Amino acid sequence: QLEDEALKFIGAHCPELVTLNLQTCLQITDDGLITICRGCHKLQSLCASGCSNITDAILNALGQNCPRLRILEVARCSQLTDVGFTTLARNCHELEKMDLEECVQITDSTLIQLSIHCPRLQVLSLSHCELITDDGIRHLGNGACAHDRLEVIELDNCPLITDASLEHLKSCHSLERIELYDCQQITRAGIKRLRTHLPNIRVHAYFAPVTPPPSVGGSRQRFCRCCIIL
């Protein structure tokens, strides 16, 4: 039942605030969170996942007021766009973890900005960001964080991602885990080539079951969905 009025009091009276979790506080809007950003300049971790009313105004306010931000979780905040993430990336250079799952409007432009301005990025979730392509992953793989920082990247349900993205990530020697569930253009061969360069990486992927052959002699073979963890 938390509303913007509570956030306005916190922003006005808690300047030392470092961590704030507002996950699924559905009544929160830009007004309340902007007050937090303006009053809590030491903020390092913000979770607003599921706060579906917030817009790019929040990202702008974070970029202008909270340069120490390290963790941002905004999963299912579908109104956020490349414009807001551009402002954020250009001002919050200490970002280490970002959960952007179901931020459905973002494109490769966001990844380009992160690759240029966020050298400390370690964990990035882009699940269900269906506009992301291989080109965005290419920039990320060539970015400042790629070689010795990036540890986890989640690309579940990104239909435009192909084996080319895996090629772009093979020089990310710090990469420990990659999520590829329901990336239908990813192949087993592509994963195998990635593991040639990163033998310790954990790859979570799903492949559709093989089409069963016609039943023979009245018996029926059963096939199940399969996922691989390498």
Side-chain angles (χ1 to χ4, degrees):
Q1 303 299 315
L2 200 66
E3 298 181 356
D4 287 338
E5 195 66 20
L7 298 191
K8 291 178 181 179
F9 277 100
I10 295 172
H13 300 290
C14 302
E16 302 297 319
L17 189 67
V18 174
T19 301
L20 181 61
N21 188 338
L22 298 169
Q23 183 171 354
T24 324
C25 293
L26 300 177
Q27 299 182 62
I28 295 301
T29 73
D30 291 344
D31 288 343
L33 267 177
I34 288 174
T35 305
I36 292 289
C37 297
R38 290 174 176 171
C40 305
H41 299 290
K42 297 182 181 181
L43 194 66
Q44 295 182 23
S45 177
L46 174 64
C47 177
S49 293
C51 298
S52 55
N53 292 319
I54 65 175
T55 72
D56 283 346
I58 297 306
L59 302 180
N60 293 332
L62 285 168
Q64 293 166 7
N65 297 281
C66 303
R68 299 183 186 180
L69 191 68
R70 295 188 299 107
I71 299 173
L72 178 64
E73 300 177 6
V74 285
R76 304 182 303 284
C77 296
S78 59
Q79 298 189 63
L80 303 181
T81 75
D82 293 331
V83 175
F85 283 112
T86 294
T87 301
L88 182 78
R90 290 179 177 178
N91 293 279
C92 296
H93 305 301
E94 297 184 17
L95 281 165
E96 296 176 359
K97 177 182 178 182
M98 298 184 72
D99 185 353
L100 310 185
E101 180 174 355
E102 294 187 37
C103 290
V104 294
Q105 296 194 58
I106 65 171
T107 71
D108 294 338
S109 178
T110 288
L111 297 193
I112 292 171
Q113 296 301 320
L114 293 177
S115 70
I116 296 171
H117 301 291
C118 300
R120 299 186 180 184
L121 195 61
Q122 298 175 18
V123 179
L124 179 62
S125 177
L126 299 167
S127 300
H128 293 272
C129 295
E130 298 187 356
L131 301 179
I132 297 297
T133 75
D134 294 333
D135 191 55
I137 302 301
R138 176 176 64 83
H139 283 279
L140 193 66
N142 292 328
C145 67
H147 298 292
D148 59 0
R149 291 281 186 170
L150 191 63
E151 298 177 359
V152 176
I153 183 166
E154 299 177 354
L155 298 169
D156 304 314
N157 291 277
C158 292
L160 302 180
I161 295 297
T162 74
D163 286 349
S165 285
L166 304 186
E167 290 294 317
H168 299 320
L169 293 171
K170 66 184 182 183
S171 61
C172 300
H173 301 297
S174 57
L175 199 60
E176 298 176 358
R177 176 167 59 87
I178 184 170
E179 303 282 339
L180 297 167
Y181 290 117
D182 290 317
C183 292
Q184 297 180 7
Q185 299 192 69
I186 295 292
T187 69
R188 295 175 188 271
I191 292 173
K192 185 176 181 180
R193 286 193 296 271
L194 177 66
R195 297 193 74 242
T196 300
H197 296 273
L198 303 173
N200 296 320
I201 193 172
R202 287 176 292 157
V203 181
H204 297 176
Y206 164 78
F207 293 96
V210 178
T211 303
S215 57
V216 179
S219 63
R220 180 174 295 174
Q221 252 181 310
R222 293 188 177 182
F223 291 77
C224 61
R225 293 166 64 89
C226 59
C227 61
I228 63 169
I229 301 177
L230 299 174

